[in-house]
Amino acid sequence: GLWYAVGQQNQTINIKVDNEADFEVVNATGTLYANSDGMLRVTYKNTGEMTAKDATVRISPDDPFSTTDDQAFLGTLEPGQTADALFKLKVDEMAVAKAYSINSEIKYEDQDGHSQISDTIKIKTETLPARSFGESLSAYTGLFAIILILIVAAGGFFHLQ
């Protein structure tokens, strides 16, 4: 005959999880207007447990962004350390003023000297409507004023001699 009984058994399984470098964007700043070039400064932080040596970040911009400057060198990032990357982006003239996300990945060397590539890291940014000619001009008003003052001062100096 067969007898059935309800039972319970615990089994311990050891799982080894390797330490690794992990990254996140802690800050992204830049003023990006439709139909113009702009600079985007991104601060990355190593949130992992391992040092990332010779880290280089590469962005993959999609519409409405384009760039010829898609890589930046971050250097060696210890756990908890941050580094800035600067990218020059062109925003399409048909860009809608709204929030966007740009994908980035970090290639680095691990403690064993092997090349590693991080998971995709999202950079959140936004575009603003295209500036009118007057707004673009007012951005340079301070520079024009300084140059004008220097010209007037130089003219007065030479006139007195």
Side-chain angles (χ1 to χ4, degrees):
L2 296 173
W3 295 89
Y4 292 97
V6 177
Q8 180 176 338
Q9 181 179 3
N10 291 330
Q11 184 80 24
T12 302
I13 301 173
N14 294 324
I15 299 174
K16 181 182 177 189
V17 178
D18 291 334
N19 292 337
E20 62 179 23
D22 197 19
F23 305 94
E24 70 179 27
V25 171
V26 293
N27 192 22
T29 57
T31 307
L32 302 173
Y33 291 96
N35 198 30
S36 66
D37 292 351
M39 299 302 288
L40 180 64
R41 179 180 300 276
V42 183
T43 304
Y44 290 92
K45 181 178 184 179
N46 181 354
T47 59
E49 302 86 27
M50 186 193 330
T51 299
K53 298 176 190 168
D54 297 328
T56 302
V57 62
R58 170 179 255 161
I59 60 171
S60 302
D62 289 325
D63 285 338
F65 304 107
S66 61
T67 186
T68 56
D69 178 29
D70 65 348
Q71 290 188 42
F73 184 70
L74 300 175
T76 298
L77 292 172
E78 300 286 335
Q81 191 174 13
T82 62
D84 289 341
L86 191 62
F87 302 103
K88 182 177 182 181
L89 295 172
K90 167 89 173 116
V91 183
D92 186 73
E93 64 186 16
M94 301 303 289
V96 176
K98 67 175 192 170
Y100 289 92
S101 180
I102 299 172
N103 291 334
S104 67
E105 294 178 333
I106 297 177
K107 183 177 180 180
Y108 64 96
E109 190 176 296
D110 66 16
Q111 64 188 11
D112 297 325
H114 299 111
S115 287
Q116 302 289 336
I117 297 178
S118 71
D119 293 335
T120 299
I121 307 157
K122 301 280 188 186
I123 304 168
K124 294 179 178 147
T125 187
E126 67 178 86
T127 60
L128 301 171
R131 293 187 284 187
S132 67
F133 179 74
E135 290 173 323
S136 297
L137 187 62
S138 69
Y140 298 104
T141 302
L143 179 62
F144 290 140
I146 291 171
I147 292 172
L148 183 62
I149 290 169
L150 290 174
I151 290 172
V152 170
F157 175 75
F158 288 115
H159 179 69
L160 292 175
Q161 290 187 1

